[in-house]
Amino acid sequence: MREVAARAGVSAKTVSRVFNNDPHVLPETRSHVEQVMTELNYVPNVLATTFRAGRSSAIGVAVPDVVDPFFAAIARAVDGIARDRGVATLLTNLGDDPGRERDILESLLSRRLAGLIVAPIGVDHSWLKRWTDSTPVVFVDRAPGGLSADTFADNDEAGGYLATRHLIEHGHRRIAYVADALHLSTETNRLAGYRRALTEAGIEPDDELVAANVNDREATEAAVTRLLGLADRPTAIFSSNARSSMLVVHALPANELAVVGFGDFPMADILHPALTVIDQDPDQIGRFAANRVFERVDHPKRRLRRTTILDVTLIERESCKVTRR
């Protein structure tokens, strides 16, 4: 920057203003400085800027599975907001091992991020307190454990209730619940909604109909085989997340059981039969989370509501109408 300033005959501060499109720079000065920048092939030293400002020009996003349609949509929405602020997005995959969550998140936080958005896989996040005093941390989809933090999530209990009640209204009384990791708050709340709908309809919840850890093809095929082999087998399945739903429809014999899934995903509407889903809005969650990070950066003393729960809706397609027994 000093070399550009010396050749252009201006101050280093003027060079910085030109690069950052400051509207107060005279047009002829801007043109001259930009010409010198081109001649010297000047680019800013982002690392030096980070050290000087004490904060990176990047926002971190950590999700369980970057190829999951739900989490991919959140990351895309965050990136859109961040780019409007001239901030980059660093995306990382947490996987499904809670024991690795802390190491992954602290690796990101050590880069002095502008903020961090997390869809957690663990149950204890009290260790994050020492980081949240200097870096805004926002949770999406799932609430943190042992930590007061900004959280944007869906009404999971209501969604579980809505899906199960819908199947009951189609005449089903043996409804299986297919899930990923039951220790997650999303699963806990959706399972509670499922059980509430059954109880209200006078149906005794049966733990034999709950299949957990359905997160790959092998586990899904084993779960479906077990459920179909029960003496009093289910006539319907409530799949508690989009990834499980995609696995279930692949493993389930055609038109064998009615299915409702929590979370829409690409091509769910063109399956045969098309999948009935509880619809979420991951784009909205991502936008809310990113905007909250920048609110915390811009107004660190402002009081803001910590937890925001978003409504979900049911999109009825053909899969809930399967009646084969």
Side-chain angles (χ1 to χ4, degrees):
M1 187 182 291
R2 285 195 297 269
E3 291 174 13
V4 172
R7 181 177 294 193
V10 298
S11 68
K13 188 173 183 178
T14 297
V15 175
S16 176
R17 284 176 172 171
V18 169
F19 190 86
N20 289 292
N21 294 315
D22 189 317
H24 300 98
V25 179
L26 294 173
E28 56 270 26
T29 302
R30 180 185 303 279
S31 177
H32 178 53
V33 172
E34 286 175 345
Q35 181 180 347
V36 174
M37 284 180 174
T38 301
E39 292 171 358
L40 294 179
N41 195 29
Y42 169 74
V43 292
N45 186 331
V46 176
L47 185 60
T49 301
T50 298
F51 284 138
R52 186 169 58 251
R55 189 179 301 280
S56 166
S57 58
I59 186 171
V61 179
V63 297
D65 186 353
V66 296
V67 299
D68 183 301
F70 177 76
F71 295 119
I74 288 177
R76 184 173 60 246
V78 170
D79 186 59
I81 298 296
R83 280 189 285 111
D84 289 344
R85 294 279 300 234
V87 174
T89 303
L90 301 179
L91 177 62
T92 193
N93 195 76
L94 291 173
D96 54 13
D97 180 4
R100 297 187 63 238
E101 181 181 57
R102 179 169 181 170
D103 288 344
I104 295 171
L105 295 183
E106 288 197 321
S107 176
L108 274 176
L109 288 163
S110 66
R111 300 169 186 268
R112 301 293 296 168
L113 298 170
L116 177 63
I117 295 172
V118 186
I121 59 173
V123 294
D124 179 20
H125 301 94
S126 56
W127 58 270
L128 270 169
K129 181 64 176 68
R130 70 188 185 93
W131 292 98
T132 57
D133 289 340
S134 59
T135 304
V137 179
V138 177
F139 288 79
V140 292
D141 189 46
R142 304 159 184 171
L147 179 73
S148 177
D150 294 316
T151 302
F152 295 91
D154 292 307
N155 194 334
D156 294 307
E157 197 276 346
Y161 175 84
L162 187 61
T164 309
R165 187 183 68 182
H166 188 70
L167 287 168
I168 292 170
E169 290 171 350
H170 276 81
H172 298 283
R173 297 184 65 81
R174 294 287 289 172
I175 303 169
Y177 180 92
V178 175
D180 195 346
L182 289 179
H183 72 273
L184 299 172
S185 62
T186 46
E187 297 286 4
T188 300
N189 293 331
R190 291 169 194 175
L191 182 59
Y194 158 84
R195 287 174 170 158
R196 178 164 69 91
L198 293 175
T199 302
E200 284 188 7
I203 303 170
E204 182 70 25
D206 184 353
D207 288 343
E208 199 172 37
L209 293 177
V210 176
N213 301 313
V214 177
N215 51 26
D216 58 35
R217 286 195 176 187
E218 184 178 353
T220 307
E221 289 170 1
V224 168
T225 298
R226 182 184 69 80
L227 291 169
L228 293 179
L230 293 174
D232 189 6
R233 61 182 247 173
T235 61
I237 288 177
F238 168 42
S239 172
S240 70
N241 62 76
R243 181 170 64 168
S244 293
S245 297
M246 289 186 283
L247 292 166
V248 164
V249 296
H250 181 270
L252 195 65
N255 297 317
E256 189 71 23
L257 303 178
V259 180
V260 175
F262 199 112
D264 207 357
F265 56 88
M267 301 182 69
D269 58 335
I270 62 173
L271 293 172
H272 183 71
L275 188 66
T276 296
V277 297
I278 298 298
D279 190 33
Q280 303 164 278
D281 192 345
D283 290 327
Q284 185 180 46
I285 290 178
R287 292 193 302 271
F288 281 175
N291 283 323
R292 176 56 57 87
V293 165
F294 292 119
E295 278 186 283
R296 292 294 185 191
V297 170
D298 296 338
H299 309 286
K301 302 298 184 181
R302 180 176 293 177
R303 294 178 63 86
L304 300 168
R305 184 172 61 182
R306 284 291 194 184
T307 302
T308 301
I309 303 298
L310 307 176
D311 291 333
V312 294
T313 57
L314 185 137
I315 299 178
E316 182 174 0
R317 298 179 180 134
E318 289 76 35
S319 67
C320 59
K321 303 172 185 176
V322 174
T323 57
R324 181 176 174 179
R325 307 295 172 94

